[in-house]
Amino acid sequence: MKKLINDPATVVRDMLEGVVALSPATVLLTDENVVIRSGLLDPEKRMVAVLSGGGSGHEPAHAGYVGAGMLTVAVAGDVFTSPSTDAILAGIRAAAGPAGALVIVKNYTGDRLNFGLAAELARAEGIPVEIVVVADDVALKDTVPDDRRRGIAGTVLVHKLAGAAAEQGLPLQEVARIAREAAGKLSSMGISLGSCTLPAVGRPGFVLGDAEIEVGLGIHGEQGVRRMSIASADELVNLVLETIEADGRLKSGDRVALLVNGLGSTPPMELAVVARSAVARLEAKGVVVERAWAGTFLSALDMPGFSLSVMHVDEAMVNLIDAPTDAGAWPRGGAVNRNRVLPSAGVKKSVTAEIRITAAGERLRSAAERVARALIAAEPILTQLDSVTGDGDLGTSMVRGAEAILALPGESFADVSGGLMAMANAMRKAIGGSSGPFYATGLMRASRHLAGIEKPTAPQMAEAFVAAVLAVSELGGAKPGDRTMIDALHPAAETFRDKLAGGASADVAWRSASAAGIAGAEATTSMKPRLGRASYLGERAIGHPDAGAVAVSIWLEAIGND
């Protein structure tokens, strides 16, 4: 497993030095892996210090939450290993004054032992210390007593409330009370799509099948309480929230804060999908989501997956959540949008007389269906080709366009011009990226070329084809030889027109045009790309045909297969 590290033995220190280098509000102790808020007042004037920490590998926790209004100190152990008692004590000594220190601990044996002993040693030195233990993992509700549940991502919310309370100058007992109340109102649960890899080990902690996931796991690469088959994001969110409900912690009328947490390698796109589902599910139950965030807040190295944390809140807690902080990893904001949909300004449809479908329009509809079905069947090969030299989305893009064409009502093909325009609009709406605009532009140009012609002749169709290819070339700037779809389109259109001009029948001319397009697509194999994403590869793209040109060759052949 490849990792961007220097040495597993120094990875924690290297990481902390990087975090501090990018956060002017923090400093790093010289002899311990302890990050401290910079610019602290003289000890006698200091407010309550808020400390937390644990094993590394949970970034941005915990060092990312050091700053005014959140943590005063973050203590980092080795990867997935509790920090030493001495490191924790060094953090307490460096940050706490007579006002004392609040220590927030996730409910793991090593953390409880080392943070607990450090607190005792600090008290023996005359430093007031309170400990709050977070045990928010509801996945263990049927496995262990409540006080033995793990502390996972919801701990970050406790950091925020405690830090805001301390920043207001509240005494230690009150800051501790607020933190304990927050921890007691907190429920979390995680789902993993795969394992993570420790830098010193170099291999995953467990192996899942392609269709398997782990449900109810902690944050140290361990397996969950059970394994199940992969399901949709909506179904997985429902599973987590149903578990929280079954624990008696969620009902209609509750006010909550929601944390959608990525476990390390979950893309923002997927976290947004999870957030959408979680907010909708809670609102449908009558729960008021006062604040919500989606991102990676407390990870398990590079684990793919997510956790949901739901914390019951009142107005005072919301105010503490909203209080300012300069901790770099805290996302700010969190207000939930209550008006999320704006109706589109649609085009008003006029009432028209019954539409008569021409014979030419019917032939176009039949050809369009053949094209669509051929492109759907070709999705695997188009995806594979585009993955080599592009971004791999051409196959699915062509499928979306094909399905949009198949969904067009029959009256869309009343005549050839109208049918081409209907296909242009369908492709434009169904396909993003570059393919949609290219095909829509070409079809629109051909439609305008044939406007008002009920029975277009083969030469007129050929001229419309040439005009369409010219429109695509003008839009993208491509010319023959640039290794694009033009290398298949241009010879096909020119051949069709020239063969007809030479006296060939429409069928013979089209077979020649199709052969020319196929040859043009094959010729791109030896071309160096000059446009598009393939151009970034330069000569590395040589040896593979252009996927867009191959797609053209597929539908050219499909048109002739009547």
Side-chain angles (χ1 to χ4, degrees):
M1 177 64 71
K2 296 180 283 291
K3 294 283 185 181
L4 288 172
I5 64 174
N6 298 311
D7 184 336
T10 64
V11 65
V12 173
R13 189 69 182 187
D14 291 349
M15 175 269 295
L16 292 177
E17 289 176 355
V19 170
V20 171
L22 301 177
S23 177
T26 62
V27 293
L28 181 62
L29 288 187
T30 57
D31 54 353
E32 297 286 359
N33 288 333
V34 178
V35 176
I36 302 177
R37 173 182 166 185
S38 61
L40 293 176
L41 300 173
D42 292 338
E44 295 76 15
K45 299 178 181 179
R46 291 178 188 173
M47 296 172 285
V48 171
V50 181
L51 291 84
S52 192
S56 296
H58 303 305
E59 291 70 36
H62 301 80
Y65 301 117
V66 173
M70 210 158 176
L71 294 182
T72 317
V73 176
V75 189
D78 290 334
V79 175
F80 293 170
T81 303
S82 174
S84 69
T85 299
D86 287 352
I88 299 164
L89 182 59
I92 296 174
R93 287 170 173 165
L102 172 67
V103 177
I104 300 172
V105 183
K106 295 185 296 301
N107 198 22
Y108 293 95
T109 301
D111 286 350
R112 293 189 67 152
L113 292 176
N114 284 285
F115 279 92
L117 178 55
E120 281 299 316
L121 292 170
R123 292 182 187 120
E125 296 178 6
I127 303 173
V129 179
E130 288 284 337
I131 295 179
V132 171
V133 177
V134 181
D136 55 325
D137 188 359
V138 299
L140 300 177
K141 68 183 185 66
D142 298 324
T143 306
V144 298
D146 289 0
D147 63 354
R148 303 305 300 167
R149 296 181 181 185
R150 296 172 292 214
I152 53 177
T155 307
V156 176
L157 293 173
V158 181
H159 292 163
K160 181 62 181 70
L161 272 81
E167 193 69 19
Q168 291 179 0
L170 298 178
L172 177 58
Q173 294 299 324
E174 181 63 9
V175 175
R177 182 195 66 77
I178 290 171
R180 288 194 184 97
E181 181 179 342
K185 294 181 175 181
L186 185 61
S187 303
S188 301
M189 180 173 163
I191 290 179
S192 170
L193 310 185
S195 185
C196 61
T197 301
L198 276 68
V201 177
R203 61 180 181 275
F206 58 85
V207 178
L208 289 173
D210 290 342
E212 291 181 321
I213 61 174
E214 287 286 338
V215 177
L217 70 166
I219 53 174
H220 297 103
E222 70 271 47
Q223 299 182 52
V225 297
R226 67 186 176 99
R227 187 170 292 189
M228 62 174 277
S229 297
I230 184 67
S232 70
D234 287 351
E235 290 169 322
L236 296 179
V237 167
N238 283 342
L239 172 61
V240 172
L241 293 179
E242 285 171 359
T243 304
I244 294 174
E245 291 172 18
D247 198 38
R249 295 175 177 240
L250 199 60
K251 64 183 185 303
S252 178
D254 287 345
R255 301 172 65 193
V256 303
L258 169 69
L259 193 72
V260 179
N261 176 59
L263 296 181
S265 66
T266 310
M269 174 188 288
E270 295 176 26
L271 291 177
V273 172
V274 171
R276 161 199 167 274
S277 182
V279 171
R281 173 76 163 74
L282 289 167
E283 290 179 340
K285 187 175 176 60
V287 174
V288 180
V289 184
E290 296 286 359
R291 297 291 182 270
W293 307 266
T296 299
F297 302 102
L298 196 151
S299 65
L301 289 170
D302 56 351
M303 179 174 282
F306 74 96
S307 64
L308 297 182
S309 297
V310 177
M311 184 174 70
H312 292 76
V313 297
D314 55 25
E315 200 62 31
M317 295 174 73
V318 171
N319 289 336
L320 290 173
I321 289 172
D322 290 343
T325 176
D326 60 10
W330 179 252
R332 280 75 175 171
V336 176
N337 186 3
R338 308 295 182 194
N339 300 294
R340 298 193 280 271
V341 178
L342 177 66
S344 299
V347 178
K348 294 183 179 180
K349 295 183 178 180
S350 58
V351 178
T352 59
E354 183 178 351
I355 297 174
R356 181 179 64 86
I357 299 177
T358 65
E362 179 59 31
R363 287 194 297 272
L364 176 63
R365 184 197 61 78
S366 178
E369 288 186 356
R370 293 196 300 275
V371 165
R373 299 192 191 286
L375 289 173
I376 291 172
E379 183 274 326
I381 183 63
L382 293 177
T383 296
Q384 189 275 327
L385 287 174
D386 195 40
S387 297
V388 174
T389 59
D391 54 10
D393 69 341
L394 181 64
T396 55
S397 293
M398 290 294 96
V399 168
R400 288 196 299 272
E403 290 174 342
I405 288 174
L406 291 174
L408 288 172
E411 57 266 26
S412 298
F413 296 91
D415 57 37
V416 172
S417 177
L420 292 171
M421 185 60 73
M423 287 193 290
N425 290 332
M427 297 288 275
R428 171 175 58 83
K429 295 176 181 179
I431 307 177
S434 57
S435 297
F438 283 143
Y439 278 103
T441 297
L443 289 165
M444 288 174 64
R445 183 72 61 87
S447 172
R448 292 204 304 273
H449 203 82
L450 297 172
I453 304 175
E454 181 176 331
K455 298 179 180 179
T457 63
Q460 288 173 326
M461 294 290 288
E463 291 300 330
F465 190 7
V466 170
V469 174
L470 179 60
V472 173
S473 180
E474 290 172 347
L475 180 64
K479 304 180 297 296
D482 284 344
R483 198 181 187 276
T484 69
M485 63 193 299
I486 291 295
D487 289 298
L489 284 171
H490 184 268
E494 294 291 321
T495 299
F496 187 47
R497 182 184 61 185
D498 294 347
K499 289 292 183 180
L500 289 171
S505 68
D507 289 343
V508 170
W510 189 261
R511 284 196 294 271
S512 297
S514 177
I518 293 171
E522 292 174 349
T524 62
T525 302
S526 60
M527 295 179 186
K528 180 179 178 180
R530 297 188 179 93
L531 297 171
R533 284 190 173 90
S535 65
Y536 307 153
L537 297 177
E539 293 185 355
R540 292 180 64 190
I542 295 175
H544 306 279
D546 178 72
V550 172
V552 170
S553 71
I554 289 169
W555 60 255
L556 285 171
E557 188 172 20
I559 289 175
N561 291 334
D562 56 353

